[in-house]
Structure formats: C-alpha cells, structure tokens
Amino acid sequence: MTTVRVAMTGFGNVGNQVAELIDRRREHFATHFGVEVLVTGVCGSTTGLIDPSRISPERLQHKAAFEPGLTGSAFMEQVNADVLVEAGPSDYSTGQPGLDYITSAINRGLHVIAVSKGALVVEGPTLLQSAREKGVQLLMSGASASALPTIDFLTYDLAGTHIKRIEAVLTGTTTFILDTMVSRNASFDEALAEAQQLGIAEPEPSFDVDGWDTAAKVVIIANAVFGVPLAISSLARESLRSLTAEQLGSWKADGLTPRLVGYVNQDEGQVEAGVGIRLYSAEHPFSLTRGSTKALYAETMDLGEFTLLGGASNPRATAAAALKDFHHILTSSE
Ligand SMILES: NC(=O)c1ccc[n+]([C@@H]2O[C@H](COP(=O)([O-])OP(=O)(O)OC[C@H]3O[C@@H](n4cnc5c(N)ncnc54)[C@H](OP(=O)(O)O)[C@@H]3O)[C@@H](O)[C@H]2O)c1
C-alpha cells in the first residue's frame, strides 16, 4: 500500500481537529484510495515532534514530549512528508509564519493545504504560480470560508462558464451585530458589546467590523478563481461602525435586511472587488443567514444564478474542509 505522509505546522484548535479526523478516516483512506495516511510531523511556535514511521493521536496529545526548537526552518528541513497542512496564525501584513512554511513545502515538492490566510492574502498569486511550476497542489478551502464551498464550487462546478459576479456573506460576527441592531433597536456600540460578552466578537473587533476578515477571504477567492493579483489594501471597504439604530430601523420598516458582503465583479477582463453593506429583500436567500451562517451568490454568463447557504462554522468544520482538500489531492493522485 502506498504511504502518504502528512506534516502540520500550527497545532491549535484546527490542527488538533485535522489530526483527529485523519486518524478517524485511516480505514476509509485505505479502502477507497489504497493509501496508508501517516502524520509524521507537527510543530507549534516553539516545539515540534517528528517521527517518519507515524505519530499516534496519543503522542500528539503529549505536548511535553515535543522537542524544543523543532519549529520553523528546522522543522521543514527535517520532516519527511508528502502533504503540508498549514494551520498557524494568520498575519495579513507579513503573511508569516505561514508564508515561509508554504514556500518551503512547495519548493520541496509537497502538496499544501492552507488553513491560515495570511500567506494567501500577501502572496497568493506567487504561491499558486510556484505550485503550478512544481507540479504540486495548493488548496485552501479552510482559508476561504471553511465549510461553505467557494473556490471548489466556482472553479469546478462552474468550470468553463464566465462568472460575471459573486457576492458573499463571509463574516458571522457582522451578521450577529446587524441583526442585534435591527431586532433590539440597538446602537452599534450596544450590539458590539453584546457580541463581545457572548464571545462572538473579539475584544479588538476591527478585524470583523471594519471588514478585514471579509476582505481577506475575497482576496483569497478572487486570486484563486479569477487569477487576479488583488491587494487587500486596494479593496473598497465599508465598516459597520458608522451605522445608526435609526438607519437600521428604517431599513427594517422597508422590509430590508442588511448584510456585510464581499463582492467581485468581472466585466470585459476588468475585476472590481470590495466589501460593503448591502440590503436584501425578505425573499432573498441572504436574508436567511443567521449568526455564523455563510452564503455565496454567483451570477454566470450561461448557467444562470446560484446561491449556496450554510455550513458549520467552527474548528471542526474548518478541519473537515481541510480534509476535503486532502481527499481532492488523493483523488487527483490516483
Ligand atoms: N478556528 C477556526 O474555525 C478557523 C477557521 C478558518 C480559518 N482559521 C485559521 O486557521 C488558523 C489556525 O486557527 P486555530 O483556531 O487553530 O488557531 P490556534 O488555536 O491559535 O492555533 C494556532 C497554532 O499555530 C501555532 N503557531 C504559532 N506560531 C507558529 C510558528 N511560528 N510556527 C508554527 N506554529 C506556530 C500555535 O502554536 P503555540 O501554541 O506554540 O503558540 C498554535 O498551535 C488561523 O490562521 C486561523 O485564521 C481558523
């Protein structure tokens, strides 16, 4: 039986779930793909563990046995793997540490499953080009709305047709804040405070409420689907901060639901992308999004219009999206 060895950089909430799912699906991989899948290395910010024969789930939980310093380039030089799962932090200004891990993996001929977003936002087109040149796959479902199929749907199911426009609800925190403002006639500050109390919004909320999270996902999706090198700083971006309870009240009276959406318009080779607050009638599927539910709308030249809605939004679902990428790698290697 062929062996497929998996290395993981970043072993937090998502990384742990990825390892658990790989272990749970070992038999499935053997039966359906004829491969034995082994986790051969994991690392965090200061320590790591490498064993070319296999690291069992029990050993993965025993963090005290991880070797100090076995991280970064030392980890990449020593680990023996066919696939890298990158699940470290996302930094949108430097792309690190994921950028170095992904670059190193591609140069070494590993397929890469990116869950972190920083490297893809900062250097997505370059990384995709390097992967093509090296004949490896760089997949990123976990970094592009996780359980909601975005890149896969747009590139596989809509292959060959011209996609005129996409619009997507990609940040659950903003949906929660908007709905709280509407249902309670609350101000932005009151709705944000409630979201923070419930642990839905971060203490430093700019990432979500100023549209950065949505913008990052738009950049990742646009780079992969439309092949355009978009810089996150060049996207038009609206924030929730300037909204007032009165504004929301008047939209409610008109039967309109506000959502913060990312959009990409493609017309005669020109691509326009951004993040804005849009209003939807009660019949529009985006009005059905609640809390963390994500949604994607696509308008095509020949296939008509589509709306996808749903998917869980948590580390388990993100790990399952990474495993979907892994299945795609196994399928295309058959
Ligand atoms: N959570 C989700 O549902 C979700 C959804 C979509 C995308 N993502 C993305 O997935 C990534 C992981 O999320 P998470 O929730 O698992 O985060 P997390 O729990 O904070 O885990 C991050 C991991 O990265 C490690 N790390 C930090 N610096 C590193 C370095 N220089 N080299 C190697 N590892 C390093 C940390 O190790 P230490 O513990 O040693 O610091 C930790 O193991 C993030 O980029 C996030 O944006 C997450």
Side-chain angles (χ1 to χ4, degrees):
M1 197 180 302
T2 315
T3 299
V4 178
R5 297 154 302 175
V6 179
M8 299 172 56
T9 47
F11 197 59
N13 293 316
V14 177
N16 272 283
Q17 296 286 338
V18 169
E20 203 182 308
L21 285 176
I22 288 177
D23 186 59
R24 213 205 303 152
R25 296 185 191 176
R26 283 185 84 208
E27 231 176 273
H28 175 83
F29 295 136
T31 314
H32 289 264
F33 298 104
V35 296
E36 185 181 23
V37 179
L38 309 173
V39 174
T40 54
V42 300
C43 78
S45 59
T46 56
T47 64
L49 187 64
I50 292 177
D51 183 340
S53 63
R54 179 180 175 233
I55 308 174
S56 68
E58 295 72 33
R59 283 175 71 201
L60 284 172
Q61 291 317 312
H62 190 45
K63 299 267 168 52
F66 282 30
E67 192 180 317
L70 191 55
T71 177
S73 55
F75 176 81
M76 291 306 293
E77 276 157 24
Q78 292 175 54
V79 75
N80 209 337
D82 306 294
V83 178
L84 174 76
V85 178
E86 210 309 297
S90 294
D91 179 329
Y92 300 144
S93 47
T94 66
Q96 299 295 0
L99 183 53
D100 282 350
Y101 285 125
I102 295 173
T103 305
S104 165
I106 291 172
N107 288 339
R108 286 162 202 272
L110 275 66
H111 299 296
V112 176
I113 297 170
V115 178
S116 67
K117 291 165 267 194
L120 302 172
V121 167
V122 174
E123 287 290 352
T126 310
L127 293 171
L128 283 162
Q129 180 62 26
S130 308
R132 273 191 292 275
E133 285 167 10
K134 282 280 178 184
V136 297
Q137 297 198 50
L138 168 57
L139 302 178
M140 52 196 80
S141 294
S144 52
S146 298
L148 181 78
T150 54
I151 295 173
D152 282 350
F153 175 68
L154 296 166
T155 57
Y156 185 82
D157 294 296
L158 303 187
T161 192
H162 176 73
I163 300 168
K164 290 157 79 174
R165 171 163 88 94
I166 63 169
E167 213 164 280
V169 178
L170 298 168
T171 305
T173 308
T174 56
T175 300
F176 178 88
I177 290 173
L178 288 167
D179 283 351
T180 304
M181 289 180 77
V182 170
S183 62
R184 312 254 179 83
N185 198 25
S187 68
F188 167 77
D189 288 337
E190 288 165 341
L192 172 62
E194 184 170 334
Q196 286 171 325
Q197 259 167 19
L198 292 168
I200 293 167
E202 298 290 328
E204 206 306 88
S206 170
F207 180 63
D208 289 328
V209 303
D210 295 328
W212 290 111
D213 178 59
T214 298
K217 289 168 187 162
V218 165
V219 167
I220 293 170
I221 293 168
N223 284 339
V225 176
F226 300 105
V228 285
L230 285 179
I232 192 168
S233 55
S234 72
L235 261 60
R237 200 168 31 79
E238 271 187 273
S239 167
L240 262 50
R241 290 183 202 266
S242 57
L243 294 175
T244 63
E246 291 68 39
Q247 220 169 357
L248 277 279
S250 111
W251 291 337
K252 185 182 180 184
D254 291 338
L256 299 170
T257 303
R259 288 289 175 260
L260 185 79
V261 297
Y263 57 86
V264 184
N265 303 323
Q266 194 182 210
D267 189 25
E268 294 181 359
Q270 296 295 312
V271 171
E272 182 206 7
V275 176
I277 297 160
R278 299 254 166 104
L279 302 174
Y280 298 96
S281 67
E283 295 76 39
H284 193 286
F286 280 17
S287 293
L288 301 175
T289 53
R290 290 285 172 273
S292 58
T293 311
K294 298 190 182 86
L296 172 72
Y297 165 86
E299 181 188 352
T300 71
M301 184 87 91
D302 306 309
L303 292 171
E305 297 171 272
F306 299 85
T307 305
L308 304 185
L309 196 83
S313 185
N314 53 47
R316 182 63 152 202
T318 302
L323 264 282
K324 178 187 70 167
D325 288 346
F326 187 65
H327 275 247
H328 289 328
I329 290 170
L330 294 181
T331 305
S332 58
S333 309
E334 276 183 316

